[in-house]
Amino acid sequence: MLHQRIETELAAAAAEGLTRRVTDLRFTGAVTARDRQGREYLVFSSNNYLGLTFDPRVRRAAAAAAEAFGSGSTGARLTTGGVMEASDLEQELAAFKHGEAALLFNTGYMTNLGVLYGLARPGDLIFSDELNHASIIDGCRISRATVVVYRHGDAADLEAKLQAHPAPPGAVRFLVTDGVFSMDGDVCDLPALVRLKEAYGCLLLVDDAHAVGVLGRDGAGTASYWDLPGAIDLQVGTLSKSLASVGGYVVARRKIIDYLKNKSRPFIFSTFPSPADTAAAREALRILRTEGETLLGRLRRNTARIRQGLSDAGIPVLPGDTPIVPVMVGAADRATALDFRLREEGILLSAIRPPTVAPGASRLRLTVTAAHTEAQLDFVLDRLAAAWRQG
Ligand SMILES: *Cc1c(COP(=O)(O)O)cnc(C)c1O
């Protein structure tokens, strides 16, 4: 039975050109990589927004930690999986995000699972933007709270739904949103969400995975961008994007963090990442805090150059000012063909197709980093425009 079902589903995906494949790559620099055949690529699809994965200081910090403290953490933090610097990193993240305390998880994905599963329970209500990341959707599911999905970025729809779904006695209501939406690259309307959370007595969770190292003068994310420090109850983030490592975290009131340490199963029952991961993230965060202005300036100049170039070439792009640049293609097979053609030219970006996005909304998702040179940006603009004209 299972075999048959799998065959049918894989064949259906293949017929629509929607088969997902793993690409084995080895990075040779912050934005360059090589595949198994030795072909070189310029990468326009990574989340390495500040290019810090190849910063010599970050690499040295990771190597030194592995050398000094071993290759793995050997367990969960509540058992013997001690990485002493993890607590230091938590304090540094909490300070950076203007919160009381932080808790690290193994990935950003696990953080959303751990926070939503840890805090929300059956009877509670979670109001969730329809374009939220899969890890939020899955966290909502395993919490078994009632999930109310509101239209993307639509505060009026959210308010109508808050009115239609009052909290039962003893229940908690959560508002949950991406800070920067991972597929559209737009920024959530934090002032509207804060107004609603206060008016309706909700707890607000913002996932800053694509916002840290991107938004705000200091790169601290959504609250910084909107100049509303302290307004978000639960600031989720990842160490895997701008912070050049792997891991996830939540910043919140100390009581909430203490509670999660005691109750959040993804925190309790999974081995913590390695000392090298923690050391790399700490060094990346240190660089963001001390050299953020330079790095963010470069990221913003590069983002503006690509967005302007695409617009000049008449290529439709979703508006916004983040380095996630969605080139709207429409049909899934055309997105696949463009992706393929650009690969031939040595450019890697992601064709995003259903079910990740709605049918007819397939796109090439181009991400810009601070590490791209102007020549590299102009090269991708030139090649993309040529591929676009050819159909
Ligand atoms: C990437 C991402 C995550 C997952 O983070 P990982 O550390 O890669 O697991 C969570 N939420 C959003 C919005 C993301 O874009």
Side-chain angles (χ1 to χ4, degrees):
M1 252 336 274
L2 177 64
H3 190 70
Q4 202 177 9
R5 188 162 76 203
I6 288 173
E7 287 278 331
T8 311
E9 287 183 19
L10 285 179
E16 294 184 63
L18 295 178
T19 304
R20 297 177 190 260
R21 281 199 187 78
V22 171
T23 310
D24 281 339
L25 286 180
R26 174 168 288 158
F27 276 86
T28 54
V31 294
T32 51
R34 190 176 294 142
D35 69 10
R36 281 192 183 275
Q37 285 69 46
R39 293 201 306 176
E40 309 267 356
Y41 295 100
L42 195 50
V43 181
F44 275 91
S45 51
S46 90
N47 302 312
N48 184 21
Y49 295 115
L50 302 177
L52 292 177
T53 55
F54 264 77
D55 186 288
R57 296 163 293 179
V58 176
R59 291 193 283 166
R60 271 201 300 272
E67 213 36 89
F69 311 128
S71 61
S73 82
T74 81
R77 301 245 325 271
L78 293 177
T79 59
T80 56
V83 171
M84 198 179 283
E85 288 70 18
S87 296
D88 300 314
L89 177 55
E90 284 169 343
Q91 279 177 22
E92 289 153 8
L93 286 165
F96 184 52
K97 306 276 289 169
H98 301 287
E100 271 182 23
L103 186 64
L104 288 166
F105 289 80
N106 296 5
T107 65
Y109 181 94
M110 294 266 274
T111 308
N112 277 322
L113 256 54
V115 171
L116 290 165
Y117 188 29
L119 297 181
R121 56 184 65 168
D124 289 347
L125 289 148
I126 303 175
F127 297 82
S128 178
D129 187 289
E130 66 179 332
L131 294 190
N132 278 342
H133 190 261
S135 54
I136 291 179
I137 296 170
D138 294 353
C140 290
R141 282 185 188 146
I142 61 165
S143 77
R144 291 182 292 132
T146 302
V147 182
V148 181
V149 175
Y150 62 90
R151 276 201 297 275
H152 175 53
D154 188 337
D157 185 49
L158 171 56
E159 181 153 26
K161 285 178 169 151
L162 283 163
Q163 284 170 355
H165 299 273
V172 178
R173 294 198 292 179
F174 296 85
L175 302 187
V176 179
T177 184
D178 282 10
V180 173
F181 287 86
S182 52
M183 294 302 139
D184 282 23
D186 54 336
V187 181
C188 76
D189 184 353
L190 188 63
L193 291 166
V194 169
R195 182 182 65 77
L196 290 174
K197 103 167 178 114
E198 280 167 2
Y200 292 88
C202 306
L203 227 64
L204 176 61
L205 182 156
V206 176
D207 180 345
D208 261 352
H210 292 282
V212 164
V214 172
L215 291 187
R217 268 180 48 154
D218 54 358
T222 306
S224 168
Y225 176 87
W226 289 107
D227 199 16
L228 288 167
I232 302 170
D233 303 293
L234 301 158
Q235 299 187 82
V236 167
T238 180
L239 306 180
S240 69
K241 289 168 180 155
S242 290
L243 295 179
S245 180
V246 65
Y249 61 88
V250 60
V251 171
R253 302 293 296 268
R254 192 172 305 281
K255 269 277 179 289
I256 293 180
I257 298 300
D258 289 343
Y259 182 80
L260 288 172
K261 280 181 194 164
N262 284 277
K263 298 286 186 183
S264 179
R265 294 165 66 87
F267 172 77
I268 299 169
F269 293 107
S270 188
T271 296
F272 192 71
S274 73
D277 296 319
T278 304
R282 278 190 85 193
E283 183 62 11
L285 179 60
R286 188 193 67 75
I287 293 171
L288 172 57
R289 292 178 78 173
T290 52
E291 300 166 24
E293 218 159 307
T294 312
L295 289 168
L296 289 161
R298 213 176 288 155
L299 177 61
R300 284 169 193 156
R301 275 196 303 282
N302 285 351
T303 298
R305 191 178 185 94
I306 280 282
R307 285 186 173 273
Q308 187 62 48
L310 290 168
S311 154
D312 291 348
I315 295 172
V317 168
L318 286 187
D321 53 6
T322 71
I324 298 173
V325 184
V327 174
M328 300 309 283
V329 177
D333 54 355
R334 180 157 187 248
T336 309
L338 283 167
D339 176 27
F340 187 79
R341 187 158 327 145
L342 289 163
R343 254 171 219 249
E344 301 273 283
E345 308 254 14
I347 293 166
L348 277 189
L349 34 71
S350 322
I352 308 287
R353 305 162 303 181
T356 306
V357 293
S362 288
R363 62 198 66 180
L364 296 176
R365 179 175 175 279
L366 199 147
T367 54
V368 185
T369 75
H372 288 108
T373 64
E374 288 188 357
Q376 290 169 333
L377 298 173
D378 293 345
F379 177 69
V380 77
L381 281 171
D382 180 64
R383 296 295 78 209
L384 184 53
W388 190 266
R389 281 194 302 271
Q390 284 163 31

